[in-house]
Amino acid sequence: LPDRMVILKPVGWEVGVQDSQFHGHQLLQFVRAVVLTQFPILDDNEHGSGFLHRLDVPSSGLILMAKAYDAYYDLRLQLSAGKLIRDYMVLCHGLIPPGREEIEVHVQTG
C-alpha cells in the first residue's frame, strides 16, 4: 500500500523522535533522507512521526510506519483491536520432507 511501509531497523539504531537525546543512528533521519517526497506526518511528534512500533536501541526488527494520517489511524485501530494480520516468511537451512508445503505454528512473544 502506498500510504504505509515496513522498515528494517538495524541493531543499535533508534527510531528517533524529534525530542530524542540519542546521538547515534536514527531511523527517522534515514527515512527523511531517502524518501523523494516529504510526508507531513514525518514532522509530527504527536503521531510518533508515523512510526507505530518502537524498538529499543539494542534490538533490531521490522518497524511499521504510516506515511499519511489516515493510514496511521487505520493501523493504530488494527493494532489496538488486535486485528493486524502478520504473515512471516522463514528461510531454512537443511532438508524439508517432500510434500511439505506449509508449516503452521504460533509465534511466541514476550
Side-chain angles (χ1 to χ4, degrees), residues 3-74:
D3 59 353
R4 51 202 86 193
M5 64 181 159
V6 177
I7 304 168
L8 177 61
K9 184 183 91 55
V11 172
W13 283 47
E14 180 184 67
V15 171
V17 292
Q18 293 159 350
D19 62 351
S20 174
Q21 301 299 316
F22 183 73
H23 298 292
H25 295 289
Q26 293 191 354
L27 201 56
L28 176 58
Q29 297 305 322
F30 175 77
V31 170
R32 283 183 176 146
V34 298
V35 294
L36 299 176
T37 57
Q38 195 62 245
F39 302 105
I41 199 166
L42 289 175
D43 297 319
D44 189 342
N45 200 25
E46 289 184 28
H47 288 85
S49 299
F51 292 103
L52 286 123
H53 279 279
R54 299 287 173 98
L55 291 175
D56 293 332
V57 173
S59 61
S60 65
L62 300 176
I63 304 287
L64 186 58
M65 182 182 180
K67 295 190 241 176
Y69 288 98
D70 55 344
Y72 178 87
Y73 287 111
D74 176 49

